[in-house]
Structure formats: C-alpha cells, structure tokens
Amino acid sequence: MSISAPKGLASSGQKPITEILHPLSAAEEPLSPGPDVTVSGGRDKEVGLTNGTPVETPSPASASVLFNRLHLDDDLDPDTRDPYADTETHDLFVTVDDPKKHVSTMETYITYRVSTKTSRIEFDLPEYSVRRRYQDFDWLRTKLEDSQPTHLIPPLPEKFVMKGVVDRFSEEFVETRMKALDKFLKRVADHPVLSFNPHLNAFLSAKDLNKRQGLALLTKVGESVKSVAGGYKLRVRPPEFCALGEYLDTFNQKLGTIDRIAQRILKEQSEYLTELREYGTVYASWAGSEEELQRPLEGVAGCVTTCCGALEDMSENMSQDFLPVLREYILYIESMKNVLRKRDQSQAEYEGRLEAAVLRKQEDRTPIPAEVEKCQDKMECFNADLKADWERWQSNKRQDFKQLLTGMADKNVTYYEKCQAAWESLITVLQDKQTEDKTSETN
Amino acid sequence: MADSVSSEEVAVISNTDITSTESENNIINTMVERGTALLRKLEINVAEAEKRTGKNTVNMQETYTVYLIEIRPAETEGGTPAAPDTLWRRYSEFELLRTYLLVTYPYIIIPPLPEKRAEFVWHKLSADNLDPDFVERRRVGLENFLLRVASHPVLSNDKIFFLFLTEEKGWRDAVLETGFQDKADSRLKSLSAMFRVKNPDKRFTALKQYSDELNSIISQLLRIRARVADRLYGVYKVHGNYGRVFSEWSAIEKEMGDGLQSAGHHMDTYAASIDDILEEEEHFADQLKEYLFYTDAVRSVCRKHELIQYELEMAAQDLVQKKQQKEELATGTVRIFSLKGMTSKLFGQESPEQKESRLAALEQSIQEGEETVKEKNTECQEFVRAAWDDIERFKEQKDKDLREALISYAIMQISMCKKGIQVWSNAKECFSKM
C-alpha cells in the first residue's frame, strides 16, 4: 500500500479534508468524523447547562458574512494579517472570552465562553456558544493527544498554581489564562487535521460536555499507536529529525534565557519605580517651602509621577502579554519533543520488527508479515505528519515572535513617548515664566 | 554671547533642542551680564587640572591636583584675544580665599566651593579624589566659584580676591597680612557658643528656618537621585543580555536570523547609552549641591546677625543695670541686690567721698556703655541693611538658577527619551523584518 501525498495534509488549501484520503484509510473509513461516529454536538444540546449560566441563543450567521470575512483577509498586508489566517480555507472561527466565577457548595471555579462560527457541515449549526472551564480544555487536549498522536498538539497554560502564591481568581491571572486558552483553541481550529477531530466538535458544540462517557472515537491510528510495544530502541534518527531535535533543544535554551532576562528587567524596573516615586514626592514637598519655584517644582513632581504611571503600564504589559507567550512556546517545544519521541518509538518498532522478520525469512522462508508493513506505514505517516506540522509550526512561530517582539519594542517606544511629552509640556511652562520675567525686566 | 537680553535668545530658549550645556551657559551668562567692574575688565577661566607631587608641611610625599586659572582682558572691539595670564592654584588655596572672605564680609552670603570629597555617590561614580571625572567636575565647580565672586557687587572689589587671580607667589603672605586669622578665631568661637537672643529679628529667623529646610530637602533629593540613577543603570544594562541571546538565537534561525541579529545590536546600543546619560545628570546634581552648600553660607550670616544682636542686647542690658545702680546709689534705695550694696549694709555706710567717686565712676561707665550701645546699634543696623541687600540678591539668583537647572534637567530627560525612542524604533523595524 503506497502512501498517497502526505503533502496534501499540510497545504490542503483546495479541498476540504474530507475529500483527501488519509494515507492509512485507502481501504478504511476516512479519518474525518463519518456519519456513524455520532458527535455529541447534535444530540446533547437539548440538555441544559448544569452551570447555571444563561446561554444566548446563537443567531444564524449568514454565509455571506463569513465570505466577506474571508475576502477581507486577502486584502490585508501579509505582515498585519492574522497569523492564523494562512492560505487554507478558513471556515472555523473560535473565540474564548467572558470569564465568570462560579460558586458551588463543592468548589469555586471560573468558566469561559467559547464561541464558534463555522460553515462546516460537520457541525449542525453555524454558530455555537458554550461555557467551558479549564478542566474541559484539559480533557480536550488529552483526547486530541490520544487520538492524533502523530500530530503536534498546542500547549495549554499551566494547570496547577500554588494556592498560596498565585491568586487563581485575580483579574490578571484569569485574563492571562484566558488569552492562552483562546490561543490554544485557535491553533487547534487552525490545524487541517486536528480541527476535524470529533472531540473538538463536541467541545465546541455540546451544551453539556459529557466527559465520563468517553466517546469511543479512537481512530485506527490512535489505537495502533497506543499499542506500540515498548522495548524497541532507536538506532539512528534520520538527519532531518536530528536537526529538528537539535533545533528544539537550542531554541528551548534561548527561550529560557529570554524569559530570565525579561523577569530580571521587570524586577529592576519595579525597584526603579519605587525609588522614582519617592523622588517625585521630594520635589512636591520642596515646592511647599518655595514661592517663585513652587510651580516649577510641582511641575517636576508631576512629570515624575506621569513617568511612573507610564512605566507601570509597560511593566504590566510585559508580565501579562510578553512572558506568558514566551512560556507557552516553551511548553510547545515540550509537546514537539514528545511527538518526536513517539516518532522515534514508531521507527524503532518498525526497524525492530523488520529485523526480526528478515531473520525469520532467512531461516525458514516465512514471508514478511503484514504487521511489519503496517508498522512501516505507521512510521511513514508519523514522519509525514510531523514534517508537515513542523513546517506549520515554524511559520507560526515566526509570526508569533515577530508580533511578540515588535509589540515589546512598541510598548517601549510608547513609554518613552509619554515621558517625553510630559517633560516637553513642563519646559514650555517653565520657559513661559522666563519670557515673562525677561520682558518685565527690559520694561 | 555676552549680549543676552534680546528677543532672539528668547526664541532660542523656547526651542527644546537646546542642550543642557547651553542651558548651563545661560547661568554663567547671567553672571557676566550682571556687569561688575571686574568682569567688564577680565575674563576668568579655570582651564585645566594637573597632578603634582611634592613634599607637604610634615615633609611627606603627597599627590595633589592643581588647577590652572586663566585671566584674559575682556574682549575688545575687533581685536585678537590676547594671550591669557595664568597661574596655578590648589584646592586648599581656594579654601583659604573663601575663609578670608567669610571673615571679612560676614554680612555677605559667600559662594560655596565644590565639595572636597565626592558625596551622594551612585555606585558607578568614583569616590576617589584623584579620579579624572571627579577632578573635571571639580574644575568646573572652581570656575563657577570664581565667577560667582567676580560677579558679586561687593566681593568683586576685594583686593585679596584680585591678587588671588593675579599673584601666584605672594598671595598667601598678602592674605595672612590682613590679620583675618585673628578675627576668624574669635568669630569661630562665638559662632559655636550657645546664646539666646531675646528679641530675634523675625526676618532672620524665617530665613534661617527656610535655609535649614532647603538644606534638608536638597540632601534628601540628592540621596534619592543617586538611588534612582543606580536602579536606572540596572534596567538599561540588563537589556544588554538581550543583545547576546538574540545573536545566539539568530544562529539557529533561517529567515528570522538577520532581523534578530540587528535587533540584538540595538539592544547593545541601548544598554551602553546609560553611561553618558547618567554622566550628564551629574551636572544637575552639582547644581543642586552648590545650593546645598549655599545654605551653610546663609545660615552663617544668620548666626552672625544673632551674635551682633546678642551683643547689642547684652550692651543694652548692661547699660540698664548700670543706670539702675546709679539711681540706687543716688537715692539710697536698694532695689536690686548688689554686692556693694550688701557690703555697705553690713559694714556700714560709706563716706560721702566714697559715694561721690563711685557715682563718678558709674557715670563714666554709663557714658561708655551708651557709646557701646550706640556703636552696636549702628553695627547691627548696618549689618542688617547690608545683609538684607545681599539676601534679596541671593534669593533672586537662587530662584533664577534653580529654575534654569530644572529646565536643564527636563531637557536631559527629553534627550534620554528621544534616544530611547530611536533605539526601540530601530529594534522594532528589525523585528518586523524577521
């Protein structure tokens, strides 16, 4: 059995995924959710939410609205375009927002609104709006990992937070986490294979996500990968994957360093801010004992205060937007390394079985069992998926970091612009007084 | 530059591209334009500093710095500037000059010298007296001191000051010959003595209080400024690490590599820029320090006034006492306890001749006392008049100089912001090309 165009997976811009045959599905069912695989979406939506939050009835989004949106993307400058709107057909839009706190007798937790707009036929409705909590996202990720082990699954923000150290219900924490969850979901929705996963469908559309039911949706690939026997050792990793592995290690290291630098800068800035505040108050207090100099000194105190505010804004932005994205990528690298390891495993298994089979063939002319060929297919599928995801990941990484670093530079520029404006307005005040004095002198 | 009060300069000042050194020059220009006779004749510079070694008074080798004072006749029309007369002075000679001025003109707020040792240091600045940056700032401070004296309506006419600028060798003897040392000793003693004035002059009390407040506030300001400088240094320098890591990262990237590498260079530039920024800010600190030290001079004038006031009160009190004594002696009533009175009661009345002579002595004493009171009164009034003249002058100068200093500081801040915007805009462009 030959493996048809794995490249088709990566750049399936022309055909919807349902029409591209999965390499392993030539004789079997397509990977996409078929009619026998009942996605809970359509069925469960009669069941009400147990969480007690009202859900808006989704208004039907007309196809033309979606269409317009797509055209808009084409017109934009490539650099300013949403990094996730690439050349593929975009017909699934997801958003995570509107955090709300829930207090029950057993526990207190936060839910987020997950909104979906889609024209895909895999969904019964064009729009959905459900509420999900972190646990639900975690469930989704686990399911995706299990059912699509050859693919890179985007990371989630940290699950556990030290209760004493971080306030799980503080606005900042919730905001940061929500942004990360939004990013996670968008990355999944953006993925040509993952976005068709039935678990995602359930997650997005089910009113009540019945996790315990354990939808029996493990694909054939998933099952076979899960049943990879351990004990096979990889001998030689193909060079492209070696390079990949090395890159990941180095990149991980560099990101770690950048994280440390950013944290150190925040610390220094915070200490600078403390001193600067006191500095401003001394000018204000000096103004109190002066007559002619009162206004200039108050002016300086005011300027210093403005600069303090601007600095505070910038620091807040760094810790809320910059650092979390950085850390997310470190998690992403971990995910990627995991996939790489699994790929190594499948290669090891194949090579191991092949070796054994060859030996047996030499001994008693037993033909190579079909199993071995299946292993080979599995490995080649893995390689193909990984390469495709790797390309995507590299491209997204480039966009993400371009945005991230440009944003950081921009915030710094804004900070200095605010400060400059404050001092310039002070000078005009001070110098006006001077001109007054000079003209009165010459008169 | 000497012709400063014109509409053109006003336009220049409104231009915020004026550098802080130009702003400082405005202060010097103001001094020159005040137009003392001395400054109309001469141009004064402290041009250089040099290290010397020699034997000191206890015959030990020491290294010290000398400063070159240049005197030039003030610019004449269309003439080439003449070669300057020069002489070398060390810091201790400046100190001697100042002490002389303090003693000789107790009603004048004598301009201060730059600090002897570096104080309010933030960590990078050296506290070493021989450090070239410190020496340079001291040179500027000494020049400033000379210009302040030369632009003062009273001090600029002092002969010893003139000799300081012109006589390298003979000056020391000339100063000592004035005998100011004797006055210095007695003055120092009296200033450190504790005494209470019964009717303090409200204006002087207010001035002393203000001076103490100003001293405290400026000290505080200088301390915190040093800490702020320290922290800002840290912020900038840590960014230098970005330079290194971006460079390392760019090595493993294909398309992103160039952008990262160039951005890294900009981060290095950013980190390096703080050194010059903070060096410039030291000028501002020096301007504040001058006024910090000025508060000591103000306090000193207030104390001297207190002393004169006290002496006047003592003289007046003494006179009153004597007059009462005379009255008692004449009328025979003892209202005030006096030893003489007691002894005469104990040992019997004195003879009319004794009484007569005592009366005469008292009369004499009273006359002398009245003279003293009159003198002290005049002294006090003249002191108050002269001092208050100078105090008004000083207040105006202080307001103008400090306003100028704040403008200069604001200009520095703007310059720092512009640099920051430049660097980060450059980095942003590099990132957007990644």
Side-chain angles (χ1 to χ4, degrees):
Chain A
M1 179 172 51
S2 68
I3 295 138
S4 59
K7 300 190 284 293
L9 280 170
S11 56
S12 57
Q14 282 65 50
K15 295 196 253 179
I17 199 75
T18 40
E19 289 178 35
I20 298 175
L21 288 181
H22 192 279
L24 292 178
S25 64
E28 295 145 36
E29 305 213 293
L31 187 57
S32 56
D36 56 316
V37 175
T38 40
V39 173
S40 54
R43 301 287 169 271
D44 292 4
K45 62 180 189 281
E46 274 77 42
V47 182
L49 258 184
T50 51
N51 298 343
T53 44
V55 177
E56 317 131 35
T57 41
S59 56
S62 63
S64 57
V65 171
L66 283 171
F67 231 72
N68 288 338
R69 204 177 293 171
L70 293 174
H71 280 298
L72 223 60
D73 281 348
D74 293 333
D75 290 335
L76 286 174
D77 181 309
D79 286 321
T80 57
R81 220 192 317 173
D82 177 358
Y84 297 109
D86 49 18
T87 49
E88 298 173 359
T89 315
H90 233 62
D91 50 7
L92 178 64
F93 298 91
V94 294
T95 313
V96 179
D97 62 4
D98 190 33
K100 276 197 167 61
K101 195 179 200 173
H102 297 267
V103 185
S104 73
T105 44
M106 296 294 280
E107 54 176 345
T108 308
Y109 58 92
I110 307 267
T111 62
Y112 307 86
R113 177 176 62 186
V114 176
S115 316
T116 308
K117 278 190 170 63
T118 180
S119 60
R120 289 190 186 174
I121 52 161
E122 289 76 19
F123 291 84
D124 290 344
L125 296 176
E127 271 190 42
Y128 292 94
S129 181
V130 294
R131 294 212 72 94
R132 297 284 181 250
R133 54 187 291 188
Y134 182 92
Q135 269 181 19
D136 302 332
F137 285 83
D138 197 33
W139 170 87
L140 175 63
R141 189 172 193 280
T142 311
K143 286 295 177 204
L144 287 173
E145 256 189 337
D146 289 345
S147 58
Q148 316 273 187
T150 61
H151 283 288
L152 173 63
I153 317 292
L156 277 178
E158 297 287 345
K159 189 174 198 163
F160 297 110
V161 284
M162 295 216 279
K163 285 233 167 130
V165 177
V166 181
D167 179 10
R168 287 180 304 138
F169 302 109
S170 77
E171 237 182 86
E172 286 136 21
F173 178 79
V174 171
E175 181 81 22
T176 306
R177 195 178 236 203
M178 189 181 77
K179 280 186 192 158
L181 292 175
D182 180 76
K183 220 179 204 146
F184 163 77
L185 211 56
K186 283 186 158 77
R187 280 172 172 150
V188 173
D190 204 51
H191 195 283
V193 174
L194 295 179
S195 61
F196 286 90
N197 189 289
H199 295 93
L200 178 67
N201 197 312
F203 178 89
L204 293 176
S205 54
K207 282 286 187 284
D208 183 15
L209 197 60
N210 200 340
K211 297 175 277 197
R212 266 172 268 112
Q213 202 164 65
L215 304 158
L217 294 169
L218 277 183
T219 60
K220 303 282 192 294
V221 177
E223 271 183 36
S224 53
V225 170
K226 271 202 107 156
S227 63
V228 162
Y232 289 101
K233 278 200 91 170
L234 181 69
R235 256 165 255 159
V236 180
R237 202 191 242 178
E240 66 255 23
F241 294 112
C242 275
L244 209 151
E246 273 166 24
Y247 174 86
L248 286 176
D249 284 334
T250 312
F251 187 42
N252 194 22
Q253 207 186 57
K254 297 310 155 200
L255 285 186
T257 307
I258 294 177
D259 185 287
R260 271 195 302 282
I261 296 173
Q263 279 190 67
R264 178 71 187 279
I265 289 177
L266 278 174
K267 180 166 170 288
E268 298 281 348
Q269 276 175 347
S270 152
E271 289 175 351
Y272 171 60
L273 188 63
T274 310
E275 300 294 353
L276 202 62
R277 282 214 182 94
E278 210 188 320
Y279 187 55
T281 52
V282 177
Y283 278 108
S285 140
W286 183 1
S289 51
E290 294 288 341
E291 290 162 13
E292 278 295 304
L293 291 175
Q294 186 181 26
R295 274 188 62 228
L297 288 169
E298 280 174 351
V300 173
C303 267
V304 173
T305 307
T306 306
C307 292
C308 285
L311 182 61
E312 244 179 329
D313 288 342
M314 182 170 74
S315 295
E316 201 182 288
N317 180 269
M318 277 292 278
S319 74
Q320 288 208 297
D321 293 335
F322 186 79
L323 284 178
V325 174
L326 211 57
R327 285 172 189 158
E328 203 174 82
Y329 258 88
I330 295 177
L331 291 173
Y332 224 152
I333 290 171
E334 264 317 302
S335 292
M336 184 64 106
K337 279 172 148 174
N338 268 337
V339 177
L340 194 61
R341 268 191 284 270
K342 284 190 245 169
R343 186 222 72 86
D344 287 346
Q345 271 287 346
S346 91
Q347 183 186 336
E349 196 201 346
Y350 165 65
E351 286 174 352
R353 285 189 196 267
L354 181 66
E355 210 178 286
V358 165
L359 278 171
R360 242 178 291 137
K361 186 169 181 188
Q362 285 175 344
E363 280 169 18
D364 53 14
R365 312 200 90 244
T366 326
I368 309 272
E371 250 179 40
V372 177
E373 286 197 15
K374 277 203 182 152
C375 266
Q376 184 184 26
D377 290 340
K378 209 186 345 171
M379 176 194 77
E380 283 172 354
C381 168
F382 229 128
N383 289 350
D385 285 349
L386 186 52
K387 271 203 209 135
D389 276 357
W390 171 247
E391 290 304 322
R392 283 183 66 87
W393 187 80
Q394 281 283 48
S395 160
N396 283 341
K397 174 208 77 183
R398 186 179 173 196
Q399 286 299 337
D400 283 345
F401 276 95
K402 187 196 277 203
Q403 201 179 39
L404 187 73
L405 293 170
T406 319
M408 170 177 92
D410 199 47
K411 288 290 182 282
N412 273 280
V413 169
T414 308
Y415 160 71
Y416 280 114
E417 280 174 348
K418 283 184 195 168
C419 292
Q420 180 175 342
W423 289 105
E424 276 176 345
S425 67
L426 177 69
I427 287 200
T428 39
V429 164
L430 292 177
Q431 287 180 341
D432 278 340
K433 187 67 171 59
Q434 267 197 330
T435 19
E436 267 173 51
D437 287 343
K438 275 207 174 339
T439 37
S440 64
E441 253 175 59
T442 49
N443 286 346
Chain B
M1 208 155 61
D3 173 32
S4 29
V5 186
S6 65
S7 55
E8 281 160 274
E9 179 156 300
V10 168
V12 168
I13 293 176
S14 306
N15 173 14
T16 53
D17 282 335
I18 190 176
T19 62
S20 56
T21 21
E22 282 169 28
S23 180
E24 277 165 41
N25 282 342
N26 286 341
I27 299 182
I28 298 180
N29 290 348
T30 312
M31 285 198 269
V32 172
E33 100 196 20
R34 290 232 185 269
T36 55
L38 186 65
L39 281 178
R40 275 196 283 270
K41 279 196 300 174
L42 298 177
E43 215 179 272
I44 305 171
N45 284 112
V46 176
E48 284 165 37
E50 228 178 61
K51 274 207 195 67
R52 298 266 172 89
T53 37
K55 292 246 162 92
N56 64 8
T57 44
V58 289
N59 214 28
M60 288 184 64
Q61 279 286 87
E62 61 165 2
T63 313
Y64 55 91
T65 314
V66 286
Y67 300 86
L68 183 69
I69 303 181
E70 279 182 356
I71 309 292
R72 250 189 218 96
E75 268 181 43
T76 45
E77 295 293 324
T80 48
D85 286 324
T86 64
L87 45 70
W88 293 94
R89 293 272 183 231
R90 54 184 294 191
Y91 187 84
S92 55
E93 292 177 282
F94 280 86
E95 280 183 309
L96 182 58
L97 171 65
R98 186 164 190 272
T99 311
Y100 160 80
L101 290 173
L102 273 171
V103 172
T104 315
Y105 303 93
Y107 47 90
I108 298 286
I109 298 168
I110 308 293
L113 285 171
E115 56 191 355
K116 192 151 191 176
R117 260 161 279 282
E119 282 183 51
F120 303 109
V121 171
W122 67 278
H123 91 281
K124 265 248 41 221
L125 225 51
S126 177
D128 175 19
N129 281 6
L130 295 173
D131 176 82
D133 285 331
F134 179 75
V135 167
E136 171 58 23
R137 291 196 358 261
R138 196 187 244 194
R139 182 195 65 76
V140 173
L142 291 174
E143 182 177 284
N144 197 54
F145 167 76
L146 291 180
L147 286 173
R148 291 261 189 227
V149 176
S151 64
H152 193 283
V154 174
L155 300 177
S156 59
N157 298 316
D158 186 274
K159 187 166 153 238
I160 296 292
F161 175 61
F162 186 76
L163 289 177
F164 182 86
L165 299 173
T166 51
E167 278 287 325
E168 183 159 350
K169 297 282 188 298
W171 179 75
R172 208 180 183 80
D173 295 329
V175 183
L176 297 174
E177 256 168 54
T178 60
F180 83 97
Q181 293 278 33
D182 310 323
K183 278 197 269 176
D185 292 335
S186 68
R187 189 161 178 259
L188 276 170
K189 263 188 234 140
S190 46
L191 281 180
S192 60
M194 287 309 217
F195 52 82
R196 278 208 71 220
V197 172
K198 289 209 188 95
N199 293 311
D201 185 322
K202 285 207 177 68
R203 287 186 305 173
F204 277 98
T205 313
L207 180 65
K208 188 148 85 120
Q209 193 179 356
Y210 167 75
S211 174
D212 288 344
E213 267 173 36
L214 190 63
N215 185 296
S216 159
I217 275 277
I218 296 184
S219 304
Q220 222 183 331
L221 196 61
L222 285 168
R223 256 195 311 275
I224 297 179
R225 193 211 70 90
R227 292 208 301 262
V228 168
D230 216 5
R231 292 292 170 209
L232 190 61
Y233 184 80
V235 171
Y236 270 72
K237 286 301 178 193
V238 175
H239 278 85
N241 291 310
Y242 274 145
R244 204 159 15 106
V245 76
F246 285 164
S247 176
E248 290 167 5
W249 179 8
S250 73
I252 58 168
E253 296 292 342
K254 286 170 243 135
E255 306 131 324
M256 282 168 63
D258 288 335
L260 273 177
Q261 179 90 311
S262 339
H265 289 148
H266 291 302
M267 290 295 99
D268 287 332
T269 306
Y270 181 69
S273 68
I274 191 66
D275 293 309
D276 284 342
I277 289 170
L278 289 178
E279 178 60 44
E280 248 201 282
E281 260 196 36
E282 283 308 312
H283 291 306
F284 176 66
D286 285 339
Q287 287 173 300
L288 289 179
K289 275 181 207 173
E290 190 192 16
Y291 275 91
L292 179 69
F293 304 145
Y294 252 127
T295 58
D296 290 332
V298 172
R299 184 167 222 277
S300 164
V301 169
C302 293
R303 285 287 282 175
K304 181 62 179 176
H305 170 260
E306 267 185 6
L307 180 63
I308 292 178
Q309 175 91 348
Y310 179 73
E311 285 172 359
L312 174 59
E313 282 179 359
M314 286 293 108
Q317 196 183 324
D318 189 58
L319 183 62
V320 165
Q321 254 187 346
K322 286 183 188 155
K323 281 189 173 165
Q324 272 186 325
Q325 275 186 328
K326 174 186 161 192
E327 199 196 309
E328 278 168 35
L329 198 56
T331 59
T333 53
V334 181
R335 247 173 304 165
I336 310 163
F337 175 81
S338 75
L339 195 58
K340 269 250 163 60
M342 276 315 290
T343 46
S344 59
K345 271 213 138 63
L346 287 172
F347 298 109
Q349 285 286 1
E350 46 188 356
S351 65
E353 292 85 20
Q354 284 177 312
K355 196 171 168 184
E356 240 0 276
S357 72
R358 273 222 290 139
L359 263 173
L362 260 178
E363 198 57 58
Q364 172 85 337
S365 184
I366 286 173
Q367 266 194 341
E368 283 168 6
E370 276 175 346
E371 275 299 318
T372 312
V373 169
K374 220 165 88 180
E375 271 173 32
K376 286 286 170 194
N377 217 350
T378 316
E379 192 189 342
C380 196
Q381 280 176 350
E382 277 189 16
F383 185 97
V384 169
R385 188 196 52 76
W388 217 261
D389 247 6
D390 196 52
I391 288 163
E392 291 301 330
R393 181 205 62 82
F394 170 76
K395 278 184 177 169
E396 251 188 67
Q397 174 198 300
K398 174 210 81 176
D399 284 340
K400 197 153 188 195
D401 286 349
L402 287 177
R403 180 191 288 266
E404 202 63 54
L406 290 175
I407 292 177
S408 159
Y409 182 71
I411 290 172
M412 274 187 251
Q413 298 305 305
I414 291 171
S415 159
M416 179 172 93
C417 290
K418 283 185 175 165
K419 281 186 196 163
I421 291 172
Q422 182 73 49
V423 163
W424 281 103
S425 299
N426 290 341
K428 183 175 170 185
E429 219 188 288
C430 294
F431 288 138
S432 66
K433 293 201 182 116
M434 269 185 358

